[in-house]
Amino acid sequence: MTGLSSTARIAIIGTGHVGATTAYALMLRGLVSEIVLIDSDMARAAAEAADIADANALARPAHIWAGSYADAALASIAIVTAGAATHGSESRLSVLASSATIVTTCVERLMGAGFAGIILVAANPVDLMAHVAFRVAGLPAARVIGTGTLLDSSRLRQLLAAKLDVAPASVAALVLGEHGDSEVAAFSTIRVGGDTLHHFSHPGKQPDVSGVAAGVRDAGYRIVTGKGYSSFGVATAIVRICEAIIRNERAVLPVSTFLTGQLGISDVYLSLPCILGTGGIERILVPDLTANEKSALRRSGDVVRDAMSSIDSND
């Protein structure tokens, strides 16, 4: 495995809760030596950069500053967190039109500055915003990625681990499809120490996992209702994706990508497990799902495709 040079740069477009938390997490991780923050509110971007730079004095050296799209053009990865925010139990799809306008403007300015790296989209609704970014950027789909269901899959592993009384790292599990209400918790993919969930018992009986899928799906709503926004979980997912790319890990992560016939789904961004390296998505994997899971995943694709059609009809 190889990494980028010590002068690798990541740009973050949007310095709201997610953008600022992502910058802070990147700084703590010491992944790159340059982090540039970009926002239409330059005073906010400058303040966030200064605050993170203060913390950086006690961490690994890095240059963190509020910059321009010209600065972002030199980045290896541009993270787009700018978008409309949801409130309470509002569906992510409820901010579709507003987010599409914001993401379109950001990506147009980014590409106009000469950007040639990888775009990582975290703005909600993320599958649709990744698709918007893909259309606007004109880059190969492998280099326009949505954070997708990586966070959802982590939540599934965490909830299952609590039910099974094992460490989350011991549980392999995938949430696929939309990062939203139609997501599919693929229970057939769950492995605990190499064992399937069906065969795993503790102590001597089948574990009760009822309500786990709903718990994963509704986790974001509970957080937003309680504190007004979510940031730590998604920021950590963003950093994990950046790590896989910068370090050329060829790690398999469930991220949102443009499907071209996988499981009978085409022309839509959805999450499937993907191999990630310096080129972005190097390969899309198709897990062995049950018939019901495949049907649910196709329905998830229909939900996202219909929503994308509503953007097109308003153009």
Side-chain angles (χ1 to χ4, degrees):
M1 296 179 189
T2 60
L4 296 182
S5 71
S6 61
T7 57
R9 177 182 300 181
I10 288 179
I12 300 174
I13 303 174
T15 58
H17 296 296
V18 173
T21 305
T22 298
Y24 180 65
L26 280 170
M27 179 274 294
L28 288 178
R29 198 67 171 168
L31 182 61
V32 292
S33 61
E34 297 182 350
I35 303 169
V36 56
L37 307 184
I38 298 165
D39 199 287
S40 57
D41 184 345
M42 285 301 296
R44 175 167 186 164
E48 293 289 7
D51 197 10
I52 296 167
D54 283 346
N56 185 236
L58 299 172
R60 298 176 184 176
H63 180 36
I64 303 153
W65 79 104
S68 66
Y69 281 93
D71 296 314
L74 301 176
S76 303
I77 303 172
I79 303 166
V80 180
T81 67
T86 58
H87 303 280
S89 59
E90 246 185 344
S91 165
R92 296 176 181 91
L93 292 178
S94 66
V95 296
L96 174 57
S98 299
S99 281
T101 299
I102 295 168
V103 170
T104 295
T105 299
C106 292
V107 176
E108 284 176 344
R109 295 189 67 183
L110 179 66
M111 300 311 296
F115 180 77
I118 292 170
I119 297 176
L120 176 56
V121 180
N124 275 321
V126 70
D127 305 289
L128 292 144
M129 293 308 98
H131 201 160
V132 168
F134 167 58
R135 286 183 173 182
V136 174
L139 293 171
R143 287 166 50 200
V144 182
I145 306 166
T147 50
T149 57
L150 177 56
L151 176 56
D152 308 86
S153 297
S154 297
R155 287 168 172 161
L156 177 58
R157 291 172 55 230
Q158 187 177 30
L159 289 178
L160 285 169
K163 290 269 189 180
L164 304 176
D165 195 23
V166 296
S170 301
V171 180
L174 291 170
V175 176
L176 305 173
E178 178 199 12
H179 172 58
D181 294 343
S182 71
E183 66 184 26
V184 180
F187 278 77
S188 68
T189 69
I190 296 169
R191 296 293 183 272
V192 184
D195 204 357
T196 64
L197 182 62
H198 178 72
H199 291 104
F200 186 88
S201 59
H202 181 84
K205 63 179 181 180
Q206 293 298 317
D208 178 15
V209 294
S210 59
V212 167
V216 172
R217 185 186 63 239
D218 297 338
Y221 294 131
R222 291 195 299 274
I223 292 169
V224 173
T225 298
K227 60 181 274 190
Y229 62 92
S230 65
S231 58
F232 295 109
V234 66
T236 304
I238 291 168
V239 172
R240 181 67 192 97
I241 295 168
C242 289
E243 282 181 327
I245 294 169
I246 293 288
R247 294 176 177 165
N248 195 28
E249 291 182 5
R250 295 183 59 78
V252 177
L253 301 174
V255 294
S256 189
T257 187
F258 188 67
L259 301 189
T260 56
Q262 293 84 356
L263 294 167
I265 306 169
S266 298
D267 303 322
V268 67
Y269 263 75
L270 285 181
S271 284
L272 284 178
C274 297
I275 299 175
L276 291 173
T278 53
I281 292 175
E282 299 188 358
R283 181 181 169 193
I284 302 171
L285 305 180
V286 180
D288 185 16
L289 304 175
T290 67
N292 286 340
E293 288 168 345
K294 290 177 183 177
S295 295
L297 194 57
R298 292 187 188 108
R299 287 195 296 273
S300 184
D302 290 340
V303 168
V304 176
R305 187 178 296 103
D306 289 347
M308 197 69 198
S309 296
S310 72
I311 295 177
D312 294 338
S313 66
N314 289 328
D315 285 348

